[in-house]
Amino acid sequence: MWRKLRTLSKFEWQMTWADKSILFFTLIAPTIYFVVAALNTNGHPLGTGNALIQLTGYWAYIVLVGVLNGFEFGLINLRETNFLKMFTVIAGDRRLIFYSNLAIQTLFIQVEMVCFDVVVIALDPTAVQYLPDMAAALLLNFLLVPIIAGFTNFFLLMPIKGNAISLIVMGYIMVGMLLINVSLPNEWALNILLTSLNPCSYVVLFYAAFLNLAHATTSFNGTLLVVVGLFYLMVGYYPVRHMRLQSLTSRY
Amino acid sequence: MQIQDYSLVLPDGRQLFNRLTAEFVPGKVNILLGANGVGKTTLLDLIAGVSVGDRSHLVGFPTMDHIGYEMQGAPFTGNVTVLEALQMMRVLDVPSATLAEADLPVELQPIAHTRFRDLSGGQRRLVLFTGVCQLQRELYLFDEPENGLDLRAVKRVMAQISCLASSGRTVIMTTHQLRTLPEGTARVLVLAGQCIAFAGTPAAFMAETQTESLEAAYLKENG
């Protein structure tokens, strides 16, 4: 199985790398936003306080968009072009396609985050003090990306076709990013709900708790993150076993 | 390998199969014939395990990892070259294998470094056919493998299918091209009226319809 996974991952890397347009949404869009912020703030795009918290918002965007565009959208596109059906038969097991795709998208997200962090340090040299946190965030991504895939795998079961997919995904990302700011210090019920349902809120709390930002490293947050993470790792992979391999729009 | 008592109603309400039963001869070529839209591809999808159909009606078929399937339409990613695609398919089942340009069939060598998206429809089918034949599987499914190919390529494809059967692999294929069937064709199954209307050797099919060619037999059977 591992040997097949390695062969398929290598092939998926070639496929993904050949279509660089995905970089626009995942890397170039937040980078442009960051550059504009740098220009508007006289070289302090992360602000003067809680700078790392600001950075986690960008990372959350990269992780979520990477998973949605590269992984979920990628698999749905493969299905709609009927390549998923062909590729699954070649691989002999649909889980191999899923895991090789996830491994490659995780790698892509890591590369994009490193590129983004380099831009951050170039535009705001004081951010060099966050290098250890940036490195830790990359390690955390190996846990985080599969959990976020579990959060968003329900897309694989939805009978969505063609252009509707990109519209729904864009709307989902926008709402998710907007909901990050709804989080309030003393509204624990609301925070639990957001962390459980909104992948962006989960990502931001995940980074904050593990990097100990804004006193977020509490046993309550730790338990919440572990329970929600385990839930999505288990339940979120149901769609992988049950998603259609046949296109909804074309037989061949 | 049998399909037993299988019924299927499509989402639009049309009944495609009604208590269909079919038996395929292992280690031989089995040919599934039928008019357009009668459900040949649906049956192959069911056998391959890529459709949502109920597989409890299948008896004796291997699991997906032991099946090679060339589908209609040549769905594949356009970003990789012919050689890269075939290398991936070769290494999947034979890890120690290597595949160089010189190992490709003669007609694929000039396009070894062409990206899949730049190939003609016929070339795409030929690449996928070659790739599927490289996989080391027990059962091979071919959905109209002659479709879009020139005469020489059709001949090579049929010869390759005969080779698979002569090495003990089971082949189930659909075709509309009855003049050059692969050697070693053991069974012809005619799908009509939501079930298998005839199953037997090509000679028995011609004898039953009192015709002298498979083409004439098929036309007579299908009215």
Side-chain angles (χ1 to χ4, degrees):
Chain A
M1 180 166 171
W2 289 109
R3 175 182 53 73
K4 280 193 171 188
L5 201 59
R6 203 174 60 229
T7 305
L8 291 169
S9 299
K10 197 177 151 195
F11 187 72
E12 295 244 16
W13 176 266
Q14 285 172 324
M15 282 198 303
T16 311
W17 188 242
D19 182 16
K20 296 180 187 64
S21 64
I22 200 166
L23 288 176
F24 178 79
F25 295 105
T26 321
L27 176 64
I28 299 176
T31 305
I32 290 172
Y33 188 85
F34 188 81
V35 170
V36 171
L39 293 173
N40 287 341
T41 55
N42 295 322
H44 295 288
L46 296 173
T48 47
N50 289 333
L52 207 49
I53 290 272
Q54 300 291 323
L55 204 51
T56 59
Y58 288 97
W59 291 342
Y61 177 88
I62 291 173
V63 168
L64 184 67
V65 175
V67 170
L68 283 173
N69 266 348
F71 183 67
E72 310 291 353
F73 197 22
L75 279 176
I76 291 168
N77 262 340
L78 288 184
R79 182 187 71 198
E80 291 310 304
T81 56
N82 273 313
F83 179 48
L84 185 62
K85 186 169 125 176
M86 182 77 203
F87 205 20
T88 306
V89 173
I90 292 170
D93 188 335
R94 66 170 73 199
R95 289 170 306 174
L96 288 172
I97 304 294
F98 180 87
Y99 290 124
S100 60
N101 202 323
L102 187 63
I104 292 308
Q105 293 312 324
T106 305
L107 212 59
F108 249 77
I109 288 169
Q110 301 288 47
V111 170
E112 285 162 342
M113 244 169 91
V114 168
C115 292
F116 180 77
D117 290 345
V118 167
V119 172
V120 167
I121 292 170
L123 289 177
D124 185 358
T126 60
V128 81
Q129 63 183 303
Y130 304 129
L131 266 177
D133 299 289
M134 289 170 173
L138 291 176
L139 289 176
L140 290 173
N141 283 349
F142 288 112
L143 273 175
L144 196 51
V145 172
I147 294 172
I148 297 307
F151 256 97
T152 54
N153 274 348
F154 69 91
F155 277 111
L156 301 177
L157 290 179
M158 288 173 72
I160 38 182
K161 302 175 186 176
N163 295 334
I165 302 166
S166 49
L167 282 174
I168 292 170
V169 166
M170 288 308 288
Y172 184 76
I173 293 166
M174 215 171 80
V175 171
M177 293 304 292
L178 284 172
L179 286 176
I180 291 179
N181 299 319
V182 173
S183 182
L184 297 170
N186 298 317
E187 295 287 344
W188 61 270
L190 180 68
N191 289 343
I192 289 175
L193 196 68
L194 284 171
T195 307
S196 308
L197 298 177
N198 179 25
C200 289
S201 302
Y202 185 88
V203 175
V204 169
L205 184 63
F206 192 90
Y207 286 133
F210 282 96
L211 300 177
N212 196 20
L213 310 176
H215 311 292
T217 312
T218 62
S219 56
F220 176 77
N221 281 343
T223 308
L224 178 63
L225 287 168
V226 168
V227 169
V228 173
L230 284 176
F231 174 79
Y232 281 109
L233 279 176
M234 288 187 290
V235 177
Y237 287 81
Y238 171 88
V240 177
R241 293 195 298 274
H242 294 90
M243 81 173 284
R244 279 176 64 106
L245 295 173
Q246 292 166 305
S247 166
L248 294 165
T249 49
S250 164
R251 280 187 69 191
Y252 304 117
Chain B
M1 295 178 188
Q2 291 181 328
I3 301 173
Q4 292 177 343
D5 210 19
Y6 180 58
S7 299
L8 178 70
V9 178
L10 296 175
D12 63 8
R14 189 163 54 99
Q15 176 135 29
L16 195 60
F17 305 127
N18 184 19
R19 308 193 68 177
L20 179 144
T21 295
E23 187 170 356
F24 301 93
V25 184
K28 300 285 182 188
V29 180
N30 298 266
I31 297 197
L32 193 56
L33 301 176
N36 295 326
V38 82
K40 301 184 295 295
T41 300
T42 307
L43 268 193
L44 293 188
D45 281 355
L46 176 77
I47 294 169
V50 295
S51 66
V52 286
D54 180 3
R55 285 181 64 82
S56 65
H57 298 268
L58 302 185
V59 178
F61 286 97
T63 50
M64 188 194 274
D65 53 335
H66 296 288
I67 297 176
Y69 183 13
E70 189 210 2
M71 296 157 195
Q72 274 195 60
F76 208 75
T77 180
N79 295 327
V80 296
T81 66
V82 169
L83 190 60
E84 286 168 345
L86 291 175
Q87 276 170 339
M88 181 271 288
M89 290 164 85
R90 177 99 173 133
V91 174
L92 266 181
D93 281 359
V94 190
S96 56
T98 52
L99 190 72
E101 192 178 326
D103 302 324
L104 299 183
V106 179
E107 57 269 55
L108 296 185
Q109 288 179 12
I111 53 169
H113 300 286
T114 306
R115 289 192 187 280
F116 203 78
R117 61 169 171 250
D118 298 324
L119 300 177
S120 72
Q123 286 173 323
R124 288 177 188 203
R125 296 222 70 194
L126 207 51
V127 171
L128 289 186
F129 175 82
T130 306
V132 168
C133 289
Q134 282 181 17
L135 298 170
Q136 301 294 305
R137 306 285 161 97
E138 284 174 42
L139 170 64
Y140 292 82
L141 308 172
F142 297 105
D143 198 353
E144 298 181 20
E146 78 283 358
N147 206 352
L149 303 186
D150 62 61
L151 284 176
R152 185 179 295 175
V154 170
K155 223 171 162 180
R156 188 180 82 72
V157 160
M158 295 302 171
Q160 182 79 40
I161 290 173
S162 301
C163 275
L164 287 172
S166 62
S167 63
R169 277 77 173 269
T170 308
V171 175
I172 301 174
M173 62 180 275
T174 71
T175 185
H176 292 296
Q177 210 277 97
L178 299 174
R179 284 187 186 164
T180 48
L181 289 185
E183 284 175 32
T185 298
R187 200 171 179 81
V188 172
L189 299 100
V190 181
L191 187 54
Q194 303 168 347
C195 58
I196 298 295
F198 173 85
T201 62
F205 189 33
M206 288 185 280
E208 189 182 281
T209 50
Q210 295 177 327
T211 53
E212 291 182 349
S213 71
L214 265 184
E215 215 170 50
Y218 174 75
L219 287 172
K220 198 167 179 184
E221 179 78 25
N222 276 268

